[in-house]
Amino acid sequence: MTATPDSATPHAAENRVIEPLYAEILRRNQGEKEFHQAVREVLETLGPVLAQRPEFVDARIIERICEPERQLIFRVPWSDDSGDIHVNRGFRVEFSSSLGPYKGGLRFHPSVNLGIVKFLGFEQIFKNALTGMPIGGGKGGSDFDPKGRSDAEIMRFCQSFMTELHRHLGEYTDVPAGDIGVGGREIGYLFGQYKRITNRFESGVLTGKGLGWGGALVRTEATGYGCVLFTAEMLRSRGESLDGQRIVVSGSGNVAIYAIEKAQQLGATVVTCSDSDGYVVDEKGIDLALLKEIKEAGRGRVSEYAERRAEAVFVPGTGVWDVPCDVALPCATQNELHEADALTLVRNGVKAVAEGANMPTTPEAVRVFQDAGVAFAPGKAANAGGVATSALEMQQNASRDSWTFAHTEARLAEIMRHIHDSCYTTAERYGSPGNYVVGANIAGFELVADAMLAQGLI
């Protein structure tokens, strides 16, 4: 983020406030490039708010909100099936409890480090605020790689991880969920160890649980469904619908699969999915039952999809964005959609892009979409359906109740409409109509900042 002359922007005075704040954040958090990116993306939009709300500057809200309330780093020793000992590193960043207990997933992947966990936790603050639910922001995980590990190895790792983490959790303190590498199996092992250590069946301490022991219907589908529902609202604001649209999706995990499912339910044709080996193009539309069989039941690769479906073609590599489409849904991982990809999508006539993953679009790519007038939804708004439904799971746990699929899905749809409308109206209120990045950042920031002012200097 570089300083801009007064003549180049109406917000130059506000930028002079933000620039030194960002420089200090860089100094205090060296080497954490994903965290830097997430902070910059938010700060670049906050100038108008600080001009209208000087009390936020006086109370040092930005400095406080960018510093986690607590950062936990711990070792996770475990033994494999051969008896060999391994040592991984565990993380939990409890970022903000201004609106409720820390809430955010656990990610098990070799790429996990403190910078990534902080970027995810920082995003979670605003995402959770946008849902309108009483939940704060946090994130965690480990550099453990579950790929290729047996169930027994994963169980031993999860038990070791929870043995340390349990002392920091609680339904009124910190409530983790799943993320990349952490699904129902891992949540089960984690919960079992928590219950064993604490001697409490505290069902509200983890979300994403099995349906038979405190889980919520729609939680599995929620992030993918929510992303598509937000996209439908964006198109509706422009006088269009998803019906008949051609969609490109990246990824083939939980978010991608259920984004495909909801898009198909709303009449769209989804022609791609991908994993780290490459992507599949199916011009007749992705066969969802086959994809679920390969990825959910068999834990296989998308190349198997092309082997089993004559109409499909498997393309090695990461060029899924070369496939022409009306709507693009990046649902894989951070920084997967680059400037060159965005230029290709715009040339091919893309109308809308919604982030199903966390920060999958680079800042340069976001600017390409915004300059071209493409409707662009940041992840903190478009993929908030998962954490919103986690909060609904917490409600059911607190009341010892369970809701039907239809009731929970209706609540999810209501929340996604609320998020869209909040982003849309906030962007208009601050002079950036149609800019969902500005709308999401400011709407989430104001909610958290007002709560921080009300609760005093803590």
Side-chain angles (χ1 to χ4, degrees), residues 86-162:
H86 303 262
V87 180
N88 286 97
R89 184 172 289 175
F91 303 91
R92 187 68 178 173
V93 174
E94 296 175 331
F95 229 117
S96 172
S97 60
S98 296
L99 298 179
Y102 309 107
K103 187 81 190 77
L106 298 171
R107 175 176 294 191
F108 292 170
H109 191 272
S111 66
V112 170
N113 56 43
L114 183 59
I116 284 179
V117 174
K118 285 172 68 174
F119 122 62
L120 292 167
F122 184 75
E123 288 278 294
Q124 204 80 42
I125 300 170
F126 308 103
K127 180 192 303 185
N128 295 1
L130 286 170
T131 68
M133 311 293 278
I135 45 178
K139 204 73 177 185
S142 173
D143 57 1
F144 169 73
D145 188 358
K147 188 182 297 182
R149 292 295 178 184
S150 69
D151 287 352
E153 289 173 326
I154 289 172
M155 180 184 71
R156 287 193 292 273
F157 175 82
C158 288
Q159 289 174 340
S160 181
F161 184 87
M162 183 55 80

Side-chain angles (χ1 to χ4, degrees), residues 21-83:
L21 297 179
Y22 182 64
E24 179 64 7
I25 288 164
L26 292 180
R27 187 191 68 79
R28 290 169 61 88
N29 302 274
Q30 296 182 33
E32 298 172 358
K33 62 181 188 300
E34 293 87 1
F35 179 56
H36 301 163
Q37 180 182 337
V39 170
R40 181 178 62 191
E41 188 262 349
V42 171
L43 294 192
E44 285 179 336
T45 62
L46 295 184
V49 185
L50 301 182
Q52 292 190 27
R53 305 285 303 274
E55 65 270 28
F56 292 160
V57 178
D58 296 338
R60 304 288 178 135
I61 292 295
I62 289 179
E63 292 94 326
R64 290 159 59 190
I65 210 169
C66 290
E67 184 69 24
E69 294 175 13
R70 188 174 295 110
Q71 301 180 64
L72 310 170
I73 305 176
F74 52 95
R75 76 179 180 200
V76 188
W78 59 282
S79 60
D80 63 24
D81 290 340
S82 299

Side-chain angles (χ1 to χ4, degrees), residues 128-450:
N128 295 1
L130 286 170
T131 68
M133 311 293 278
I135 45 178
K139 204 73 177 185
S142 173
D143 57 1
F144 169 73
D145 188 358
K147 188 182 297 182
R149 292 295 178 184
S150 69
D151 287 352
E153 289 173 326
I154 289 172
M155 180 184 71
R156 287 193 292 273
F157 175 82
C158 288
Q159 289 174 340
S160 181
F161 184 87
M162 183 55 80
T163 296
E164 174 58 33
L165 186 62
H166 83 278
R167 69 192 78 241
H168 304 286
L169 305 184
E171 59 184 319
Y172 301 111
T173 304
D174 188 347
V175 183
D179 194 81
I180 293 171
V182 178
R185 173 182 58 177
E186 290 76 17
I187 292 294
Y189 294 146
L190 291 164
F191 182 78
Q193 185 73 350
Y194 181 87
K195 180 167 65 77
R196 180 186 190 185
I197 293 171
T198 63
N199 194 32
R200 295 194 303 270
F201 196 103
E202 191 179 334
S203 56
V205 77
L206 285 167
T207 57
K209 300 181 295 296
L211 294 176
W213 47 280
L217 291 164
V218 189
R219 179 60 190 91
T220 300
E221 298 87 353
T223 307
Y225 276 23
C227 179
V228 173
L229 291 169
F230 192 99
T231 306
E233 290 297 312
M234 282 202 305
L235 290 172
R236 184 184 58 79
S237 73
R238 296 183 171 207
E240 295 194 55
S241 75
L242 272 175
D243 189 29
Q245 306 284 1
R246 176 183 166 95
I247 298 183
V248 164
V249 171
S250 69
S252 54
N254 177 270
V255 179
I257 286 173
Y258 291 100
I260 293 170
E261 181 167 283
K262 179 53 68 175
Q264 290 178 344
Q265 290 174 4
L266 295 180
T269 301
V270 182
V271 296
T272 68
C273 60
S274 69
D275 60 22
S276 57
D277 294 336
Y279 63 97
V280 161
V281 181
D282 188 339
E283 292 293 345
K284 290 191 174 182
I286 293 295
D287 182 331
L288 190 62
L290 176 58
L291 181 61
K292 286 184 177 182
E293 180 184 338
I294 291 168
K295 299 300 291 189
E296 293 185 335
R299 299 181 186 271
R301 312 300 292 167
V302 297
S303 57
E304 296 176 34
Y305 180 96
E307 293 169 3
R308 296 173 59 178
R309 186 165 164 87
E311 299 90 343
V313 176
F314 175 72
V315 183
T318 58
V320 65
W321 310 118
D322 294 340
V323 180
C325 63
D326 301 307
V327 175
L329 304 178
C331 296
T333 190
Q334 67 264 13
N335 291 325
E336 60 168 298
L337 200 165
H338 299 272
E339 182 179 23
D341 303 318
L343 290 168
T344 299
L345 285 165
V346 169
R347 280 196 302 270
N348 287 333
V350 71
K351 303 173 185 176
V353 178
E355 295 187 321
N358 291 301
M359 205 170 72
T361 313
T362 66
E364 297 79 13
V366 173
R367 282 192 287 272
V368 169
F369 292 135
Q370 292 177 331
D371 290 346
V374 173
F376 176 79
K380 62 174 62 70
N383 76 20
V387 73
T389 308
S390 281
L392 298 179
E393 182 176 332
M394 292 166 67
Q395 285 187 12
Q396 293 169 76
N397 294 157
S399 61
R400 298 293 192 267
D401 197 2
S402 61
W403 304 339
T404 65
F405 191 99
H407 176 76
T408 310
E409 186 177 11
R411 288 291 307 275
L412 171 63
E414 178 185 346
I415 290 168
M416 296 312 297
R417 281 194 297 272
H418 163 77
I419 294 172
H420 172 271
D421 293 348
S422 177
C423 296
Y424 188 89
T425 56
T426 301
E428 285 198 325
R429 180 160 53 94
Y430 279 98
S432 298
N435 189 325
Y436 290 93
V437 174
V438 168
N441 288 343
I442 293 180
F445 175 80
E446 285 189 314
L447 287 166
V448 177
D450 282 334

